[in-house]
Amino acid sequence: AAAAAAMNIPQSHPRLWYSAQSGTPGAMRLTRARAWFSAGNPVPITSTSVSAHYRDRALRSLINQHADPADCSAAVGWLKGFTMNVGGTASDHARWHGEDAILVYDWCYHAFSATDRADLTSRWNGYISTLNAKSWGGSHMAANNYFWGYLRNSLLWGIATAHENVQAQG
Protein backbone atom coordinates (compact mmCIF):
# COMPACT_ATOMS: atom_id res chain seq x y z
CA ALA A 1 0.00 0.00 0.00
CA ALA A 2 2.84 2.41 0.77
CA ALA A 3 4.33 1.93 -2.70
CA ALA A 4 0.94 2.41 -4.34
CA ALA A 5 0.34 5.56 -2.30
CA ALA A 6 3.55 7.00 -3.77
CA MET A 7 2.29 6.68 -7.36
CA ASN A 8 1.98 10.01 -9.12
CA ILE A 9 -1.46 9.69 -10.72
CA PRO A 10 -2.64 13.02 -12.15
CA GLN A 11 -5.84 14.58 -10.88
CA SER A 12 -6.98 15.32 -14.44
CA HIS A 13 -8.01 12.98 -17.23
CA PRO A 14 -6.79 11.35 -19.40
CA ARG A 15 -4.56 9.19 -17.23
CA LEU A 16 -4.17 6.03 -19.28
CA TRP A 17 -1.48 6.09 -21.97
CA TYR A 18 -2.07 9.80 -22.58
CA SER A 19 -1.99 12.65 -20.08
CA ALA A 20 -2.98 16.28 -19.86
CA GLN A 21 -0.25 16.84 -17.26
CA SER A 22 2.51 18.71 -19.10
CA GLY A 23 6.03 17.37 -19.05
CA THR A 24 4.94 13.75 -18.67
CA PRO A 25 5.52 10.98 -21.21
CA GLY A 26 1.73 10.72 -21.62
CA ALA A 27 1.48 14.42 -22.48
CA MET A 28 4.24 14.03 -25.04
CA ARG A 29 2.41 11.06 -26.59
CA LEU A 30 -0.79 13.11 -26.75
CA THR A 31 1.02 16.06 -28.35
CA ARG A 32 2.53 13.76 -31.00
CA ALA A 33 -0.83 12.10 -31.67
CA ARG A 34 -2.52 15.48 -32.05
CA ALA A 35 0.20 16.71 -34.43
CA TRP A 36 -0.16 13.53 -36.48
CA PHE A 37 -3.94 14.01 -36.62
CA SER A 38 -3.57 17.72 -37.48
CA ALA A 39 -1.41 16.73 -40.45
CA GLY A 40 -4.49 15.11 -41.99
CA ASN A 41 -4.04 11.57 -40.76
CA PRO A 42 -7.25 9.87 -39.66
CA VAL A 43 -7.82 7.91 -36.47
CA PRO A 44 -9.09 4.63 -37.91
CA ILE A 45 -12.27 3.27 -36.35
CA THR A 46 -12.00 -0.49 -36.20
CA SER A 47 -14.84 -2.94 -36.28
CA THR A 48 -13.04 -5.94 -34.79
CA SER A 49 -15.40 -5.76 -31.82
CA VAL A 50 -18.05 -3.41 -30.53
CA SER A 51 -15.83 -2.37 -27.64
CA ALA A 52 -12.87 -1.64 -29.96
CA HIS A 53 -15.13 0.52 -32.13
CA TYR A 54 -16.14 2.72 -29.18
CA ARG A 55 -12.59 2.77 -27.76
CA ASP A 56 -11.38 4.09 -31.12
CA ARG A 57 -14.11 6.73 -31.17
CA ALA A 58 -13.06 7.83 -27.68
CA LEU A 59 -9.45 7.98 -28.87
CA ARG A 60 -10.39 10.04 -31.92
CA SER A 61 -12.28 12.44 -29.66
CA LEU A 62 -9.32 12.77 -27.32
CA ILE A 63 -6.86 13.33 -30.15
CA ASN A 64 -9.03 15.94 -31.86
CA GLN A 65 -9.51 17.71 -28.52
CA HIS A 66 -13.19 16.72 -28.35
CA ALA A 67 -14.00 18.93 -31.34
CA ASP A 68 -16.75 16.52 -32.43
CA PRO A 69 -18.90 15.64 -29.41
CA ALA A 70 -20.55 12.79 -31.35
CA ASP A 71 -17.58 10.47 -30.79
CA CYS A 72 -17.53 10.67 -27.00
CA SER A 73 -21.31 10.80 -26.88
CA ALA A 74 -21.52 7.48 -28.73
CA ALA A 75 -18.75 5.93 -26.60
CA VAL A 76 -20.37 7.13 -23.38
CA GLY A 77 -23.73 5.72 -24.46
CA TRP A 78 -22.13 2.38 -25.20
CA LEU A 79 -20.29 2.22 -21.86
CA LYS A 80 -23.36 3.20 -19.85
CA GLY A 81 -25.21 0.27 -21.42
CA PHE A 82 -22.31 -2.20 -21.33
CA THR A 83 -22.60 -4.87 -18.66
CA MET A 84 -20.63 -8.02 -17.96
CA ASN A 85 -21.85 -11.29 -16.55
CA VAL A 86 -19.31 -12.12 -13.86
CA GLY A 87 -21.34 -14.87 -12.21
CA GLY A 88 -19.74 -17.85 -13.96
CA THR A 89 -16.44 -19.61 -13.44
CA ALA A 90 -14.57 -16.95 -15.45
CA SER A 91 -15.40 -13.96 -17.66
CA ASP A 92 -14.27 -13.77 -21.26
CA HIS A 93 -16.03 -10.41 -21.60
CA ALA A 94 -13.83 -8.98 -18.87
CA ARG A 95 -10.71 -10.09 -20.75
CA TRP A 96 -11.98 -9.11 -24.18
CA HIS A 97 -13.74 -5.82 -23.47
CA GLY A 98 -12.64 -4.61 -20.03
CA GLU A 99 -9.67 -2.60 -21.22
CA ASP A 100 -11.68 -0.88 -23.96
CA ALA A 101 -14.43 0.04 -21.50
CA ILE A 102 -11.97 1.52 -19.01
CA LEU A 103 -10.21 3.52 -21.73
CA VAL A 104 -13.57 4.97 -22.83
CA TYR A 105 -14.19 5.99 -19.22
CA ASP A 106 -10.82 7.74 -18.98
CA TRP A 107 -10.63 9.31 -22.43
CA CYS A 108 -14.24 10.58 -22.42
CA TYR A 109 -14.34 11.35 -18.69
CA HIS A 110 -15.51 14.91 -19.34
CA ALA A 111 -18.60 13.64 -21.17
CA PHE A 112 -19.98 11.61 -18.23
CA SER A 113 -22.29 13.24 -15.72
CA ALA A 114 -21.48 12.90 -12.02
CA THR A 115 -24.37 10.44 -11.75
CA ASP A 116 -23.02 8.39 -14.67
CA ARG A 117 -19.58 8.30 -13.04
CA ALA A 118 -21.03 7.19 -9.71
CA ASP A 119 -23.09 4.45 -11.38
CA LEU A 120 -20.12 3.21 -13.42
CA THR A 121 -17.81 3.30 -10.40
CA SER A 122 -20.23 1.23 -8.36
CA ARG A 123 -20.78 -1.26 -11.20
CA TRP A 124 -17.10 -1.63 -12.08
CA ASN A 125 -15.98 -1.85 -8.44
CA GLY A 126 -18.36 -4.81 -8.22
CA TYR A 127 -16.97 -6.38 -11.39
CA ILE A 128 -13.36 -5.95 -10.28
CA SER A 129 -14.01 -7.31 -6.77
CA THR A 130 -15.97 -10.30 -8.06
CA LEU A 131 -13.45 -11.20 -10.74
CA ASN A 132 -10.46 -10.84 -8.42
CA ALA A 133 -12.14 -13.22 -5.95
CA LYS A 134 -12.66 -15.97 -8.55
CA SER A 135 -10.81 -19.21 -8.00
CA TRP A 136 -10.34 -19.65 -11.75
CA GLY A 137 -7.85 -16.99 -12.80
CA GLY A 138 -7.04 -16.03 -9.22
CA SER A 139 -3.61 -15.10 -7.88
CA HIS A 140 -2.65 -18.76 -7.49
CA MET A 141 -2.94 -19.07 -11.30
CA ALA A 142 -0.46 -16.38 -12.30
CA ALA A 143 0.26 -18.06 -15.65
CA ASN A 144 -3.42 -18.02 -16.60
CA ASN A 145 -4.75 -15.59 -19.21
CA TYR A 146 -7.80 -14.82 -17.05
CA PHE A 147 -5.51 -13.80 -14.20
CA TRP A 148 -3.65 -11.36 -16.48
CA GLY A 149 -6.87 -9.94 -17.92
CA TYR A 150 -8.31 -9.37 -14.46
CA LEU A 151 -5.03 -7.88 -13.22
CA ARG A 152 -4.87 -5.51 -16.22
CA ASN A 153 -8.45 -4.38 -15.61
CA SER A 154 -7.79 -3.90 -11.88
CA LEU A 155 -4.74 -1.75 -12.52
CA LEU A 156 -6.37 0.31 -15.25
CA TRP A 157 -9.55 0.82 -13.21
CA GLY A 158 -7.55 1.86 -10.16
CA ILE A 159 -5.60 4.43 -12.16
CA ALA A 160 -8.63 5.68 -14.12
CA THR A 161 -10.63 6.25 -10.92
CA ALA A 162 -7.88 7.33 -8.52
CA HIS A 163 -8.80 10.36 -6.41
CA GLU A 164 -12.52 9.68 -7.08
CA ASN A 165 -13.05 6.07 -6.00
CA VAL A 166 -12.49 4.88 -2.46
CA GLN A 167 -11.69 1.40 -3.78
CA ALA A 168 -9.15 2.55 -6.40
CA GLN A 169 -6.18 2.01 -4.10
CA GLY A 170 -7.10 -1.67 -3.68
Side-chain angles (χ1 to χ4, degrees):
M7 290 180 65
N8 183 18
I9 299 172
Q11 294 283 335
S12 60
H13 290 268
R15 298 175 181 159
L16 299 172
W17 188 248
Y18 299 104
S19 177
Q21 186 176 2
S22 65
T24 64
M28 290 181 266
R29 279 190 291 274
L30 186 55
T31 298
R32 284 191 309 269
R34 287 179 171 163
W36 180 84
F37 182 77
S38 294
N41 298 297
V43 175
I45 306 300
T46 61
S47 59
T48 56
S49 72
V50 171
S51 67
H53 172 84
Y54 289 108
R55 177 209 57 220
D56 292 348
R57 290 190 70 177
L59 176 61
R60 181 169 63 190
S61 183
L62 177 65
I63 290 173
N64 77 15
Q65 301 182 59
H66 309 297
D68 181 359
D71 280 329
C72 265
S73 179
V76 164
W78 167 76
L79 183 54
K80 287 171 40 178
F82 175 71
T83 58
M84 290 190 297
N85 179 352
V86 295
T89 303
S91 175
D92 285 326
H93 283 129
R95 290 183 312 119
W96 297 336
H97 309 295
E99 179 179 16
D100 292 338
I102 297 165
L103 290 173
V104 166
Y105 179 87
D106 185 47
W107 294 344
C108 290
Y109 182 85
H110 73 283
F112 290 97
S113 70
T115 301
D116 292 338
R117 284 188 215 114
D119 290 347
L120 286 165
T121 298
S122 176
R123 184 185 326 156
W124 277 81
N125 283 350
Y127 292 156
I128 299 294
S129 296
T130 299
L131 293 168
N132 286 342
K134 297 253 181 230
S135 60
W136 186 260
S139 59
H140 64 286
M141 297 178 78
N144 185 282
N145 60 346
Y146 288 91
F147 169 80
W148 287 104
Y150 301 163
L151 177 63
R152 175 206 60 214
N153 291 347
S154 296
L155 290 170
L156 291 178
W157 185 244
I159 294 167
T161 62
H163 313 297
E164 305 140 16
N165 175 4
V166 296
Q167 293 183 22
Q169 188 75 17

